[in-house]
């Protein structure tokens, strides 16, 4: 809602800035990079047909990024809701997810949850306003399943059948031969507030066996476990221990955990988290929606502008063990055994295991238990919610992790699986969900993106883009930006209500993007970039080289795959993770050596020990049979470890271990199976099986890649990134050749620029025609990228994307800096005077002289006009104070006394005079160096296409002329520097940011001449 009131301040005297400019990002670009817009009238190429039906230049709303839209429950006004939908639409985003979140609110009495809580009439009215305005603007609106998280609804109590449950335990130690006559041991933790009932499930005794003890767990003898429940009368136990050792009496109590959604209350009566493992829990959610939220108007609007029902990560918190009353029966159905004698190995105390049997048996029991819980979660919660959401015209989007459940299998059930940049440790966490998505034939993998602890109002879009660059290579293709806060709330300070800041009194999480930010003026450049990346990465079907079979399908763990994570990806290999249930999907077939040939088309399967259970070499019998079936059908398989000693992951049935060994022995004898003892041999084993990656690097590299295929066109997303943001040392610039497999023989490469929307035929590359095993062969291009910089290469028939170069020759080698297809034909560019030899595809060599190219010039003198954003007359109004300065060198605003605590928008202006030698054969790149944060460039009155905010180098093309040329750079900053002084109680601890155009800024002329 931010309005701006200008206060102009003039007469600032000329001053000389003496401090040196900050270190710049080094110059360099992809050799065949599409240039910046040469004139305002230059047309943007759009995608053609045959695999390029995507509208690359102007991606549709459906693929554009969304915002997580935080409301203070239902304390919202419909007119403001409609205005914020317009703000999101005008900025080029595709939708928003309404979430009731107010972690920053310390006095919740202002919320008046009885009238304005989640699910009240006021909240529904706000939802109707959002949906109706979204319908007008072509946006979609997602709705969270309940207030905050985890899933919860009012109308149930902690004692209700539908409420989340825990298994609490109590224990007492009994000496050898001693009698115990007393109350049944009470739970070691008191019940949560509101829990008034608890049911005794079972009382057991077990003999202590110190051989089985661990550093944290008391060892017990499994064979000694006995049921004492029948010895309980009126909550009193009377039992005499045998004299053969120390015994432990354990009582198990079933009760509600009393968990409420985060940062409540959100409703009146309070909402309680539902049982995620029972039909009753999910039914409580759907019944509440049907009765209180789904008015006729909402139902109608959901069919028009509804997107997805969303559920956040499964953060069920209890002092005991997650439980549901149906678990014992489900365990018997799943394993054929009783759960009750095994409970000592399962009970938890504040997430810590308490007891253990023999290590191998304990591992097997815990595996079987969580596999059963996974089955209940996927059946009663994920599948049931998905069916109900679809009945409303919605998809189900969810973060299916947080417990020890098979998130890979959940991802295959969900319409849209989602990960998160804050909670995921590395890119393999995304690859887990991507495996489920692609095996099930879904399209989208979403990401809750850009939440950074303690970074409210200091987050830059550059940081956001650095985070997301690698995630896209790992399979993400939808971004839900964290986030956009509703503007107003009583008593908040400028620049308005923010859901996560203040957080515990200081700067909180993420951002509250919107017009309150100076960078919002440029944000359509960012949303356009993200939309184009999404468009490419949602086109056709994903391809991955290898499927990594994960015995336990957890994610959000940071655990990767042997060899592939550390070595394979540095050589171009791509991988995804599968778990056992995915081998039962209809797609789990093999044709021409590819697993799931109509989907990810994996070339091989890699199997290793279970990282979550000490890397033990385990394999379920049914999965071993599946692997045998797949390799007999032609799938190469590599196994790492001692597979002649394989054991079942769960408690085996009689004869199961022997049968498993027999099946694995047969598996190892297959001609397409290789067993290696050391992870360093994995790559050689794959090579020996004839398996090659789709992408190959001439040297080990930090280049990450993702590959998709649509109608014979290959799309390659490339990012110079890293496996995890915490990896050290930092990623460096790369410059090397990359070989890309192509589906269509004689396909030619195109560069798709996601910042500008332009598509340009690559003019310099080599090709391998391929053979029967290599399909359409490959093309090799040279890639030069700065850290976190990205590019997209498409390979398809000539004529795509408006290409008119047909069968013209291209360059296979050149001494020039660049070779490009221009309107004049094949041309070379270089930044230095000289003669350059270029070898053409038809074998002819051409020498080209480029003369009188001016030397690069550093632009140091600037006029700077600053709009200084400050608190206005209300929390949602911004006052603007203006400054005019003259700079003799570029330095951060923090080093300029007048600008030290300023946030806002700066417009830098300088004049470049070009002499008589400047001709039509000259152009120039403008290198901006370091900029914080977003920027736009105007030259001689022509605003250029959006600037790559990671590597801000723009091609000025034909915009420069002999004589005076005016260059303007507009820079927008975060708000943190102003908030440090305007609200020091919250933001005073933030480090003063180095804002502005820091440079060095260089004008680098080049000569260009046609060669063919």
């Amino acid at each position: 809602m931010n309005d701006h009131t200008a206060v102009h301040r003039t007469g600032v005297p000329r001053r000389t800035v003496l401090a040196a400019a900050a270190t710049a990002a080094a110059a360099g670009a992809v050799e065949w990079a599409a240039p910046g817009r040469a004139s305002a009238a230059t047309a943007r190429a759009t995608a053609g047909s045959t695999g390029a039906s995507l509208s690359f230049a102007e991606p549709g709303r459906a693929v554009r990024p969304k915002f997580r839209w935080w409301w203070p429950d239902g304390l919202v006004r419909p007119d403001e809701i409609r205005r914020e939908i317009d703000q999101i639409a005008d900025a080029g985003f595709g939708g928003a997810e309404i979430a009731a979140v107010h972690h920053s609110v310390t006095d919740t009495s202002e919320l008046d949850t009885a009238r304005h809580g989640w699910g009240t009439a006021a909240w529904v009215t706000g939802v109707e306003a959002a949906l109706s305005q979204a319908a007008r603007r072509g946006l979609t609106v997602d709705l969270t399943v309940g207030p905050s998280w985890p899933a919860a609804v009012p109308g149930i109590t902690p004692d209700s059948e539908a409420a989340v449950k825990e298994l609490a335990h109590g224990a007492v130690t009994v000496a050898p031969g001693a009698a115990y006559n007393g109350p049944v041991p009470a739970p070691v933790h008191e019940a949560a507030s509101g829990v008034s009932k608890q049911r005794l499930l079972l009382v057991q005794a077990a003999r202590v066996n110190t051989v089985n003890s661990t550093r944290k767990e008391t060892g017990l003898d499994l064979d000694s476990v006995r049921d004492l429940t029948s010895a309980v009368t009126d909550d009193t136990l009377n039992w005499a221990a045998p004299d053969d050792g120390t015994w432990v009496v354990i009582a198990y109590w079933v009760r509600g955990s009393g968990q409420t959604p985060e940062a409540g209350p959100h409703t009146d009566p309070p909402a309680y988290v539902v049982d995620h493992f029972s039909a009753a829990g999910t039914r409580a959610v759907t019944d509440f929606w049907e009765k209180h939220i789904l008015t006729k108007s909402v139902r109608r609007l959901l069919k028009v502008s509804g997107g997805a029902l969303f559920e956040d990560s499964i953060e069920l918190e209890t002092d005991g063990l997650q439980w549901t009353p149906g678990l014992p029966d489900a365990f018997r159905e799943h394993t054929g055994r009783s759960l009750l004698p095994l409970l000592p190995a399962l009970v938890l105390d504040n997430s810590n295991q308490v007891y253990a049997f023999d290590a191998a048996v304990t591992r097997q029991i815990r595996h079987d238990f969580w596999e059963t819980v996974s089955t209940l979660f996927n059946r009663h919660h994920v599948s049931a919610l998905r069916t109900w959401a679809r009945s409303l015209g919605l998809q189900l989007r969810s973060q299916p992790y947080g417990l020890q459940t098979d998130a890979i299998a959940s991802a295959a059930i969900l319409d849209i699986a989602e990960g998160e940049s804050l909670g995921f440790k590395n890119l393999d966490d995304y690859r887990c969900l991507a495996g489920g998505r692609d095996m099930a034939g879904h399209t989208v993998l979403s990401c809750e993106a850009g939440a950074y602890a303690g970074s409210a109002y200091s987050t830059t879009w550059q940081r956001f883009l650095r985070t997301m660059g690698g995630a896209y290579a790992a399979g993400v293709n939808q971004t839900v930006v964290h986030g956009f806060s509703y503007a107003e709330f009583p008593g908040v300070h400028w620049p308005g209500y923010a859901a996560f800041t203040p957080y515990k009194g200081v700067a909180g999480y993420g951002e509250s993007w919107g017009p309150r930010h100076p960078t919002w003026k440029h944000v359509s450049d960012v949303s356009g970039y993200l939309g184009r990346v999404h468009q490419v990465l949602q086109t056709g079907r994903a391809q991955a080289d290898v499927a990594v079979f994960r015995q336990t399908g957890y994610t959000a763990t940071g655990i990767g795959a042997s060899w592939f994570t550390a070595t394979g990806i540095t050589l171009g290999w791509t991988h995804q993770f599968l778990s056992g249930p995915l081998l039962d999907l209809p797609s789990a077939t093999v044709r021409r050596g590819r697993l799931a040939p109509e989907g990810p088309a994996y070339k091989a399967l890699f199997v290793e020990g279970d990282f979550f259970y000490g890397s033990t070499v385990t394999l379920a019998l049914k999965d071993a049979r599946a692997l045998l079936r797949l390799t007999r059908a032609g799938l190469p398989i590599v196994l790492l470890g001692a597979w002649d000693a394989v054991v079942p992951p769960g408690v085996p049935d009689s004869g199961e271990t022997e049968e498993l060994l027999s099946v694995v022995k047969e598996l190892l004898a297959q001609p397409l199976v290789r067993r290696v003892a050391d992870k360093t041999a994995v790559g050689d084993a794959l090579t020996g099986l004839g398996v090659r990656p789709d992408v190959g690097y001439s040297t080990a590299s930090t280049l990450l890649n993702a590959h998709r295929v649509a109608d014979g066109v290959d799309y390659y997303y490339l990012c110079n990134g890293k496996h995890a943001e915490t990896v050290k040392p930092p990623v460096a610039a790369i410059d090397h050749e990359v070989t890309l497999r192509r589906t269509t023989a004689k396909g030619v490469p195109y560069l798709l620029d996601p910042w500008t929307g332009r598509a340009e035929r690559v003019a310099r590359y080599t090709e391998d025609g391929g053979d029967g095993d290599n399909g359409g062969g490959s093309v090799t291009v040279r890639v030069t990228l700065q850290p976190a910089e990205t590019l997209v290469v498409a390979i398809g028939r000539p004529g795509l994307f408006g290409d008119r170069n047909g069968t013209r020759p291209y360059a296979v080698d050149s001494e020039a800096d660049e070779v490009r297809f221009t309107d004049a034909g094949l041309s070379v560019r270089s930044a230095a005077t000289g003669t350059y030899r270029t070898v053409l595809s038809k074998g002819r060599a051409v020498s080209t002289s480029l003369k009188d190219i001016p030397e690069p010039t550093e632009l140091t003198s600037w006029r700077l006009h600053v709009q200084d954003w400050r608190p206005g007359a209300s929390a949602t109004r911004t006052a603007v104070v203006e400054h005019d300065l003259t700079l003799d060198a570029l330095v951060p605003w923090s080093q300029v006394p007048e600008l030290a605590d300023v946030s806002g928008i700066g417009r830098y202006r300088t004049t470049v005079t070009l002499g008589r030698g400047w001709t039509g054969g000259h152009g120039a790149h403008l290198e901006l160096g370091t900029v914080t944060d977003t920027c736009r460039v105007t030259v001689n009155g022509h605003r250029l296409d959006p600037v790559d905010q990671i590597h801000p180098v723009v091609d000025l093309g034909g915009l420069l002329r002999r004589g005076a040329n005016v260059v303007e750079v507009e820079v927008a900053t975060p708000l943190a520097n102003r908030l440090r002084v305007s609200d020091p109680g919250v933001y005073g601890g933030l480090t003063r940011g180095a804002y502005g155009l820091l440079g060095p800024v260089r004008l680098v002329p080049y000569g260009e001449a046609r060669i063919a």
Side-chain angles (χ1 to χ4, degrees):
M1 188 178 178
N2 289 60
D3 299 319
H4 303 278
T5 306
V7 179
H8 192 66
R9 181 174 296 171
T10 59
V12 178
R14 176 182 175 86
R15 64 185 307 276
T16 302
V17 179
L18 299 177
T23 302
V30 181
E31 286 190 302
W32 63 91
R37 183 167 58 187
S39 71
T42 301
R44 291 178 173 178
T46 56
S49 57
T50 313
S53 58
L54 70 160
S55 178
F56 179 68
E58 297 295 338
R61 293 285 188 185
V63 299
R64 286 181 173 266
K66 303 171 181 284
F67 274 113
R68 185 150 290 174
W69 190 12
W70 296 307
W71 292 8
D73 297 334
L75 191 60
V76 295
R77 293 186 292 106
D79 62 329
E80 176 60 24
I81 289 296
R82 287 188 285 269
R83 181 155 91 149
E84 292 182 13
I85 284 284
D86 285 342
Q87 291 167 350
I88 291 169
D90 292 343
F93 290 80
E97 167 209 309
I98 299 173
V101 177
H102 45 72
H103 285 58
S104 61
V105 176
T106 55
D107 182 4
T108 56
S109 64
E110 293 281 5
L111 291 165
D112 188 5
T113 53
R115 291 195 304 156
H116 299 115
W118 178 88
T120 60
W123 188 83
V124 173
T125 298
V127 170
E128 290 177 344
L131 288 167
S132 61
Q133 191 66 11
R136 294 185 184 97
R137 298 303 308 271
L139 271 62
T140 56
V141 172
D142 298 350
L143 298 169
T144 56
V145 70
S148 194
W149 69 90
V153 290
I156 63 173
T157 72
D159 299 326
S160 297
E161 177 191 12
V164 64
K165 302 291 188 295
E166 66 178 0
L167 186 69
H169 83 285
V172 63
T173 301
V174 182
Y180 179 83
N181 187 5
V184 172
V188 295
H189 294 283
E190 293 184 0
S193 175
V195 178
S196 62
K197 299 177 182 178
Q198 59 183 16
R199 177 176 64 86
L200 181 64
L201 174 70
L202 179 70
V203 180
Q204 291 175 329
R207 185 174 56 247
V208 173
N209 183 346
T210 57
V211 173
N212 295 333
S213 294
T214 68
R215 186 168 60 88
K216 294 183 177 181
E217 301 163 320
T218 299
L220 301 177
D221 188 343
L222 175 59
D223 293 335
S224 73
V225 174
R226 58 186 66 186
D227 186 346
L228 305 183
T229 311
S230 61
V232 175
T233 304
D234 296 330
D235 294 330
T236 297
L237 172 66
N238 188 355
W239 177 72
D243 59 5
D244 55 354
T246 300
W247 288 72
V248 175
V249 173
I250 310 170
Y252 304 92
W253 303 86
V254 177
R255 65 191 184 191
S257 72
Q259 186 177 358
T260 57
E262 280 265 343
H266 298 273
T267 60
D268 186 7
Y272 286 95
V273 174
V274 300
D275 184 348
H276 284 56
F277 314 118
S278 73
T282 301
R283 189 165 55 247
V285 173
T286 58
D287 285 352
F288 183 88
W289 276 70
E290 295 282 354
K291 184 176 181 180
H292 298 282
I293 295 174
L294 295 174
T295 63
K296 289 183 179 180
S297 176
V298 169
R299 287 180 184 274
R300 175 180 57 81
L301 288 166
L302 286 175
K303 300 290 185 180
V304 179
S305 55
L309 183 71
F310 172 70
E311 183 170 15
D312 215 314
S313 51
I314 315 303
E315 299 176 27
L316 302 183
E317 299 170 353
T318 170
D319 293 328
L321 178 69
Q322 297 295 340
W323 193 257
T324 188
L327 249 174
D329 289 342
F331 189 88
R332 182 177 291 279
E333 178 186 350
H334 184 63
T335 67
R337 289 178 292 278
S338 174
L339 172 63
L340 301 184
L342 312 177
L343 284 178
L346 297 168
V347 291
L348 298 173
D349 182 359
N350 281 328
S351 301
N352 295 313
Q353 304 287 163
V354 182
Y355 304 108
F357 302 126
D358 170 79
V361 173
T362 300
R363 182 193 71 240
Q364 293 168 334
I365 292 170
R366 291 171 184 171
H367 175 276
D368 285 346
F369 175 81
W370 285 109
E371 192 170 71
T372 303
V373 172
S374 287
T375 300
L376 293 175
F377 174 66
N378 286 331
R379 176 189 302 159
H380 293 307
H381 193 75
V382 178
S383 295
L385 271 181
R386 182 196 61 187
T387 299
W388 179 75
R390 288 178 177 179
S391 74
L392 302 175
L394 301 173
Q395 295 180 300
L396 180 62
R397 174 168 59 89
S398 177
Q399 299 174 353
Y401 48 86
L403 297 177
Q404 298 178 58
T405 53
D406 188 346
I408 298 175
S410 299
I413 298 169
L414 290 163
D415 296 308
I416 302 172
E418 181 168 288
E420 57 179 284
S421 64
L422 178 66
F424 276 17
K425 310 298 188 301
N426 57 41
L427 300 185
D428 278 329
D429 286 339
Y430 296 110
R431 293 183 179 109
C432 290
L433 300 180
R437 173 198 64 184
D438 291 334
M439 282 294 290
H442 302 310
T443 299
V444 176
L445 173 58
S446 185
C447 180
E448 174 191 341
Y452 306 104
S455 296
Y457 295 116
S458 61
T459 302
T460 64
W461 281 109
Q462 293 159 346
R463 182 181 186 185
F464 180 95
L465 293 167
R466 287 194 296 269
T467 297
M468 294 309 299
Y472 292 134
V476 169
N477 55 10
Q478 174 177 280
T479 307
V480 181
V481 181
H482 190 284
F484 190 107
S485 289
Y486 181 78
E488 305 167 339
F489 191 82
V492 298
H493 298 165
W494 181 80
Y497 168 70
F500 287 102
T501 191
Y503 186 75
K504 298 181 179 179
V506 296
Y509 281 83
E511 275 300 350
S512 291
W513 298 109
R516 68 183 71 186
H517 282 267
T519 56
W520 194 252
K521 184 175 183 181
H522 302 156
V523 78
S524 61
D525 296 351
V526 178
S527 65
Y529 166 83
L530 295 172
R532 293 182 191 101
V533 170
H534 296 169
Q535 177 71 81
V536 167
L537 295 179
Q538 291 184 33
T539 297
R541 64 184 189 276
Q543 305 276 272
D545 296 321
V546 175
V548 175
F549 186 75
R550 175 145 280 179
Q551 315 281 327
T552 306
Y554 306 161
T555 194
T557 65
I559 293 178
S562 292
W563 189 79
F564 289 97
T565 296
T567 303
I569 59 174
T570 71
L571 302 175
W573 288 89
T574 57
H575 64 280
Q576 294 179 345
F577 294 87
L578 311 183
S579 62
L582 271 61
L583 300 183
D584 296 329
L585 292 173
S587 63
T589 60
V590 177
R591 187 172 70 247
R592 296 181 179 178
R594 300 295 184 93
L595 172 60
E598 302 303 320
Y602 306 115
K603 303 170 187 175
L605 186 65
F606 174 68
V607 190
E608 61 182 326
D610 193 339
F611 278 167
F612 299 100
Y613 290 97
S615 294
T616 306
V617 178
T618 63
L619 193 63
L621 179 58
K622 64 180 179 60
D623 293 336
R625 290 169 175 160
L627 298 186
L628 183 59
R629 168 178 61 84
L630 293 173
T631 195
R632 282 174 171 169
L635 181 67
I637 295 178
V638 174
L639 299 104
L640 170 63
W643 288 91
D644 51 352
V646 62
V647 294
V651 177
D653 293 331
S654 177
E656 183 179 346
T657 301
E658 292 74 16
E659 187 173 0
L660 173 64
L661 286 167
S662 175
V663 173
V664 170
K665 181 178 180 180
E666 189 174 1
L667 176 68
L668 293 170
Q670 299 302 306
L672 292 177
V673 174
R674 299 288 185 274
R675 178 176 59 173
V676 295
D678 188 89
K679 61 184 177 182
T680 59
V682 172
D684 290 340
L686 290 167
T687 300
L689 288 166
V691 179
R692 303 287 189 278
D694 284 350
V695 179
Y697 307 149
S698 58
T699 182
S701 174
T702 51
L703 187 63
L704 304 168
N705 76 83
H707 181 201
R708 297 188 74 91
V709 177
D711 300 327
V713 179
D714 295 277
Y715 296 92
Y716 288 96
Y717 167 87
L718 306 175
C719 174
N720 182 18
K722 52 188 174 180
H723 182 60
E725 286 198 76
T726 56
V727 169
K728 295 180 180 179
V731 172
I734 61 169
D735 182 0
H736 61 74
E737 289 189 334
V738 176
T739 299
L740 308 170
R741 185 180 69 84
R742 63 185 176 189
T743 300
T744 300
K746 303 302 181 182
V748 298
Y750 299 86
L751 181 72
L752 308 185
D753 186 339
W755 283 104
T756 66
R758 291 169 58 94
E760 180 173 332
R761 174 89 166 262
V762 176
R764 177 180 172 180
Y765 63 96
T766 59
E767 65 177 343
D768 174 1
D771 50 38
D773 295 329
N774 198 25
S778 62
V779 299
T780 298
V781 295
R782 194 158 191 89
V783 173
T784 305
L785 291 175
Q786 293 297 310
E789 192 179 1
T790 65
L791 61 84
V792 176
V793 177
I795 306 175
R797 61 172 177 79
L800 288 176
F801 310 106
D803 170 36
R804 298 180 180 179
N805 291 289
T807 58
R808 285 182 179 178
Y810 56 90
V812 297
D813 191 19
S814 181
E815 296 172 345
D817 296 340
E818 296 181 70
V819 184
R820 302 177 59 248
F821 283 114
T822 67
D823 291 342
L826 189 67
S827 301
V828 294
R829 281 184 178 179
S830 193
T833 298
T835 300
Y836 300 92
R837 184 174 183 271
T838 301
V839 180
L840 302 181
S841 55
K842 296 184 178 180
R844 184 167 61 97
V846 179
S847 292
T848 308
S849 294
L850 300 176
K851 300 178 180 180
D852 303 323
I853 302 172
E855 291 294 319
T857 302
E858 184 171 348
L859 309 183
T860 56
S861 298
W862 299 81
R863 292 284 299 177
L864 173 59
H865 176 79
V866 174
Q867 292 182 338
D868 173 0
W869 287 31
R870 301 183 178 190
S874 70
T876 57
R877 289 183 177 271
T878 296
V880 177
V881 174
E882 300 190 319
H883 309 268
D884 289 287
L885 301 91
T886 300
L887 307 177
D888 291 337
L890 291 172
V891 294
W893 293 3
S894 56
Q895 295 181 19
V896 181
E898 294 91 336
L899 306 179
D901 294 311
V902 168
S903 296
I905 298 173
R907 295 183 180 90
Y908 294 79
R909 180 186 178 99
T910 193
T911 299
V912 179
T913 301
L914 300 174
R916 290 184 177 181
W918 191 264
T919 69
H922 291 155
H925 289 107
L926 182 67
E927 301 172 355
L928 299 183
T930 301
V931 186
T932 303
D933 175 28
T934 58
C935 63
R936 283 177 171 171
V937 176
T938 300
V939 175
N940 292 332
H942 295 281
R943 198 181 90 193
L944 274 68
D945 278 336
V947 178
D948 184 335
Q949 303 296 329
I950 291 294
H951 183 46
V953 176
V954 294
D955 186 352
L956 305 186
L959 288 175
L960 296 177
R961 60 202 177 204
R962 187 181 306 169
N965 295 267
V966 178
V967 177
E968 297 173 288
V969 181
E970 183 178 77
V971 179
T973 79
L975 280 178
N977 281 4
R978 174 53 62 194
L979 285 167
R980 288 178 68 254
V981 294
S982 68
D983 195 357
V986 176
Y987 302 101
L990 295 177
T991 301
R992 181 182 281 159
Y995 293 168
L997 177 62
L998 312 185
V1001 177
R1002 297 201 316 154
L1003 186 71
V1004 183
Y1006 59 76
E1008 181 174 279
R1010 180 181 181 274
I1011 61 172

